[in-house]
Amino acid sequence: MTLTEPTPTHADAGVDALFAPTELAGIALGNAFAMAPMTRFRSPGGVPGPDVAAYYRRRAAGGVGLIITEGILVDHPSAGAEDAAPRLERPAAEAGWRIVADQVHAAGSKIIAQLWHQGSEREGFDGGVAWTPSGVREDGSPAGRAATIADLDELISRYAAAAGAARRAGFDGVEVHAAHGYLLDEFLWRATNRRTDRYGGTPRNRARLVAEIVAAVRAEVGAGFPVGLRFSQFKERDFDAVIADHPDELAALLTPAVEAGVTLLHASARRFWRPAFDGSPRTLAGWGRELTGLPAIAVGSFGLSAASLADPERSLAAVARLREAGEFDALALGRPLLANPCWVNHVRRGELGALIDYSKEQEEVFA
Ligand SMILES: Cc1cc2nc3c(=O)[nH]c(=O)nc-3n(C[C@H](O)[C@H](O)[C@H](O)COP(=O)(O)O)c2cc1C
């Protein structure tokens, strides 16, 4: 087979199902592919402009069923510096996102807003002070200041306000970003959460802030509005770190958020097909699904090159088999969509020769 010929895996019914309409946490999607959240820093003053709308519209028109936006900072000085990361609660930002959502919908896709607080990663920019669980990094070195209970109450209300703005702006749901070593993950992670109050210690206590945020978001957006939770084992600054040593611990970390109103999981892994724990082939998304009964999005290193689609572990047929085995409901792609806004349409048509392989420099381009 040359790369320009239609891939024979399309003869596979499971592969066809990846490209068929599906439903995810109550959201009707054209297919099972999602765009992963990718920070772009193109929204000066927190306001996404026409270039941001065009960027997302292009991916929607390119066939992706669901878009999860780049991390949108909750509007609090501790969440992130005043740079070009987007916000939501400012009227001009909400209006900008309304245009983005309208254009994505007009192009046939759905869009969820990801809500973000940088935690210790906020430190160092514009003299701002980071808020962290315990004022330390995982190695015990200082990191910002430990948030008080009053601070946490303030943050909870910011998440709720951002979610309310997302709903008004026309988003199809919100996703709470609790992955990759940012604030909420720093609460989930034993190494950075050394608190002795009700927000630290047991897995249930470490999960308490996430659950209280979800409860406040749910109260703000009402029943029926999709609320997702993105979680990961790895941290951007430590790929081997974990929040859960075994599935029971993962269950204890996820359950409070589910009880508080999460309806969709997004399990971020470096390689989506790899087993999450010893002793079972189950992936992180698969465990999330099994432990909570919720639908899950998987993500991580799918489709980075056309050739990788011929790898037996990462082919469309392999993806279809994992989906049929209950590992995930939808699969997100990040980096492949930077240079290939039409990735889904190309792959659906078997036009693998049209795909541009991912390279790091593509992260600097915004089109
Ligand atoms: C440029 C860039 C920015 C990212 N920004 C975010 C973000 O804002 N929020 C988030 O949860 N993940 C973020 N990620 C992680 C991606 O969502 C995704 O999990 C990761 O790139 C792995 O998927 P991929 O192999 O399909 O790219 C970012 C990744 C990249 C490459």
Side-chain angles (χ1 to χ4, degrees):
M1 178 185 95
T2 68
L3 287 180
T4 48
E5 285 169 1
T7 156
T9 53
H10 277 264
D12 183 322
V15 171
D16 285 344
L18 295 172
F19 295 94
T22 187
E23 185 256 298
L24 186 72
I27 312 173
L29 304 181
N31 58 62
F33 291 101
M35 177 176 177
M38 284 183 287
T39 290
R40 308 318 316 270
F41 289 126
R42 303 286 170 150
S43 300
V47 180
D51 52 345
V52 175
Y55 163 83
Y56 284 114
R57 185 190 61 232
R58 214 167 280 132
R59 272 80 192 166
V64 80
L66 174 69
I67 289 171
I68 301 145
T69 67
E70 62 202 282
I72 301 175
L73 292 174
V74 293
D75 211 347
H76 187 276
S78 69
E82 278 300 331
D83 52 21
R87 310 273 175 160
L88 242 169
E89 296 134 272
R90 301 172 186 176
E94 184 183 317
W97 283 118
R98 152 72 62 192
I99 293 167
V100 175
D102 284 351
Q103 294 201 8
V104 165
H105 289 152
S109 185
K110 300 291 167 63
I111 183 163
I112 285 178
Q114 188 188 59
L115 308 182
W116 187 29
H117 185 298
Q118 293 170 350
S120 66
E121 298 297 320
R122 190 251 184 277
E123 195 148 57
F125 299 103
D126 73 356
V129 175
W131 287 6
T132 61
S134 303
V136 290
R137 286 183 170 258
E138 56 278 16
D139 60 2
S141 60
R145 73 167 174 81
T148 65
I149 288 190
D151 293 339
L152 298 182
D153 287 344
E154 201 178 327
L155 290 183
I156 291 166
S157 69
R158 294 315 332 150
Y159 276 88
R167 181 163 201 173
R168 283 194 302 277
F171 281 103
D172 300 289
V174 292
E175 175 177 278
V176 175
H177 185 355
H180 304 166
Y182 296 106
L183 181 75
L184 300 185
D185 195 24
E186 292 179 309
F187 270 84
L188 297 176
W189 190 16
R190 228 178 293 112
T192 42
N193 184 343
R194 303 179 183 192
R195 298 174 75 102
T196 52
D197 63 6
R198 63 181 187 273
Y199 293 96
T202 63
R204 184 163 273 273
N205 279 357
R206 298 195 324 260
R208 190 178 303 280
L209 177 62
V210 171
E212 290 182 354
I213 285 169
V214 169
V217 164
R218 176 57 70 206
E220 179 72 28
V221 298
F225 192 69
V227 176
L229 179 71
R230 195 173 216 221
F231 67 99
S232 66
Q233 292 277 39
F234 80 92
K235 321 297 159 204
E236 282 184 5
R237 53 186 191 261
D238 183 350
F239 289 156
D240 298 323
V242 297
I243 52 169
D245 287 325
H246 43 77
D248 289 349
E249 190 173 14
L250 185 62
L253 290 171
L254 295 178
T255 302
V258 177
E259 290 170 353
V262 159
T263 53
L264 174 63
L265 298 178
H266 188 173
S268 174
R270 296 193 61 233
R271 294 180 178 77
F272 78 94
W273 64 92
R274 292 264 170 93
F277 300 103
D278 290 342
S280 163
R282 271 251 175 278
T283 61
L284 190 64
W287 277 112
R289 235 173 152 259
E290 179 171 319
L291 296 170
T292 67
L294 290 182
I297 303 172
V299 65
S301 300
F302 177 61
L304 291 171
S305 66
S308 71
L309 295 173
D311 175 339
E313 280 188 310
R314 290 178 289 164
S315 65
L316 287 171
V319 167
R321 275 195 302 276
L322 285 174
R323 185 164 178 253
E324 284 169 350
E327 292 291 340
F328 53 81
D329 299 270
L331 181 62
L333 302 93
R335 292 165 292 171
L337 284 168
L338 293 174
N340 300 284
C342 295
W343 191 97
V344 173
N345 283 345
H346 282 317
V347 174
R348 182 167 50 78
R349 297 185 201 122
E351 298 164 355
L352 303 193
L355 296 178
I356 300 168
D357 290 350
Y358 164 77
S359 63
K360 185 81 185 158
E361 311 80 70
Q362 291 161 7
E363 292 180 22
E364 304 309 317
V365 178
F366 188 66

